[in-house]
Amino acid sequence: MNQRLVNILNGFDKKEIAVIGDFMLDRYFVGNAERISPEAPVPVVLISEEKSTLGGAGNVVENLNSLGVKVDPYGIIGNDNNGDELLAKLKL
């Protein structure tokens, strides 16, 4: 591996980065489609699992954290259950 790249990767834990942007939750629904709707050609899905992950600027924060960077996130979130979930995922 290129020595310059090694030095950059090894220095991430000494960095502090501000992330400013749109923080959001990406929601995923997992299930089985057993039939097509008679009203429109779309599958009818029986949802068995729902999960959410950090999206937008939250994804950037998560990726930087995984590299050891100290991240200061700045953004506006809602004062609701989704906002609480987002804060929990950001571990703030």
Side-chain angles (χ1 to χ4, degrees):
M1 190 181 295
N2 180 315
Q3 187 59 41
R4 182 168 184 265
L5 179 58
V6 170
N7 291 340
I8 290 170
L9 292 174
N10 287 337
F12 274 130
D13 61 340
K14 299 170 187 71
K15 302 292 181 194
E16 184 171 352
I17 297 176
V19 174
I20 303 167
D22 295 327
F23 290 83
M24 58 192 79
L25 291 173
D26 288 342
R27 294 230 189 257
Y28 297 91
F29 300 94
V30 180
N32 292 318
E34 299 190 5
R35 65 185 180 91
I36 301 295
S37 171
E39 291 86 21
V42 294
V44 177
V45 179
L46 178 61
I47 297 172
S48 60
E49 179 185 356
E50 180 181 342
K51 53 187 172 182
S52 58
T53 61
L54 289 171
N59 187 3
V60 175
V61 169
E62 198 167 49
N63 290 331
L64 288 170
N65 277 332
S66 73
L67 293 171
V69 176
K70 181 183 180 327
V71 181
D72 296 316
Y74 295 93
I76 298 173
I77 63 164
N79 185 18
D80 56 11
N81 290 338
N82 290 330
D84 294 341
E85 183 178 355
L86 196 140
L87 284 175
K89 290 188 176 300
L90 286 170
K91 297 175 182 77
L92 298 176

